[in-house]
Amino acid sequence: MKLHELTIKETAQGLKSGEFSALDVCKDYLGRIKELNKDIFAYLSVDEKGALKQAEEADGLISKGKAGILTGMPSAIKDNIMVCGLKCTSASKILENYVAPYDATVIKKLKEKKAVFLGKANMDEFAMGSSTENSAFGVTKNPRDLSRVPGGSSGGSAAAVASNMAVFALGSDTGGSIRLPAAFCGVVGLKPTYGAVSRYGLTAFASSLDQIGPLAKTVEDAKIVFEVISGKDPMDSTSVDSPAGAKEFDLKKIKVGIPKEYFIKGIDAKIEEEIRSAIKKYEDMGVKVEEISLPHTDYALAAYYIINPSEASANLARFDGIRYGYSAGGKDLLDLYMETKGKGFGPEVRRRIMLGTYALSSGYYDAYYLRAQKVRTLIKKDFEKAFEKVDAIFTPTSPIFPFKIGEKASDPLSMYLVDIYTVSVNLVGVPALTFPIAKVGNLPVGLQIIGKPFGESTLFNLGNAFPGN
Ligand code: GLN
């Protein structure tokens, strides 16, 4: 087995026993990146020097017997998360030369464990998209089939893990951006409970929806990373310490809900078949499965695509050509704003700013933004009611298989539809895990398990119980 094929757990064992060093591991991954990144383009930038130095430091810690489980683990970090001294572009021209002046809290926590940062991962510009085609610097390809998209917006993070160019990655999930690419690339992804992980140092997109989370090769590895990055942070007032998960876990005591509104026209028949057979496997292990209803599901995408652009339009106002990044100049202030934003932002970002500004404008606020927030409350109540009866909800992660590069690029509405199973989770703030359950041809199918607020431990336990995990 090659070093880059190992999981976190296996790598940690080898490091501890002295079978190989963190420097060996780091060099192996850097070699892999040299070989594959030109085709897959998972990384926007690679910090070879920094990574080698961090690996040496990790070896120092290991030799003193002070290593933690993430010591020396080579990672890919989505390019909207700040790593001090490295470029942080959010895959936008407007931040093309922006260098992070401080570490995001998640990075600080990983640095304390002496994890290794190989580089910054490609993404849809400002995390807006489901395919990574909206990156200003080029599209990432799906390692399972290079003619297809890796999903988005954390497509670079997912592709890096799927192609063994990183042992784990961090992504961000506002409406599915960790889970969709994880499902498309056949890796594990976790969207934590809103507030479980600090957002300090994450480029704000839609602040009431955004969460940072791990992408990894196994459920166990995702859990390891989550436990390191989560927790209350004084720099993010929405963050909290997760209450400790239940110590005992008995599959036979678990009740799972299958929302009837999720198996509708539009879902690929092969995906439905695989999801149903995965559910059957859980039933065979003693899990109780029952049909539930989430009656406002039909309105989730519409509410999301009002609330998300509204928050985005407010957050992106800071990129004005004066305070951050690229500036186009101009004959006066208004001209400078217009030129900078017109040239610095790509079409999807401009679309969201316009949609959001419209939805928030006086006269339309009540009809769009306020109404969408009311719908959000109804969707939240649907989930609360469901969780009175069940411990977790099983759904497909995506209604379709990874599509061909270019197939949906000119049709934003059909792109938005791909998020049908993921956006409610963000509107409600609950956690959700996706992991691969099957392959059809080369293409993976992901099962999404949605949990109660701070129910991550149940998700990990359920994920680990799946045959083969
Ligand atoms: N595809 C969704 C969007 O474009 C989700 C993005 C995300 O989670 N960052 O809004």
Side-chain angles (χ1 to χ4, degrees), residues 127-130 153 172-177 205 304-305 308 352 419:
M128 300 175 185
S130 308
S153 66
S172 66
D173 191 312
T174 303
S177 277
F205 170 11
Y304 173 85
Y305 276 100
N308 168 301
R352 303 262 176 139
D419 305 332

Side-chain angles (χ1 to χ4, degrees), residues 175-240:
S177 277
I178 289 174
R179 290 161 287 156
L180 186 74
F184 273 15
C185 294
V187 299
V188 177
L190 173 78
K191 195 295 274 189
T193 308
Y194 186 76
V197 177
S198 168
R199 291 178 291 115
Y200 181 67
L202 168 72
T203 306
F205 170 11
S207 307
S208 78
L209 305 163
D210 299 338
Q211 267 295 283
I212 296 174
L215 295 101
K217 296 180 192 179
T218 63
V219 173
E220 204 168 24
D221 281 3
K223 178 174 184 242
I224 291 168
V225 179
F226 171 69
E227 282 171 355
V228 170
I229 63 172
S230 56
K232 186 172 169 55
D233 173 20
M235 301 307 280
D236 173 1
S237 59
T238 62
S239 67
V240 284

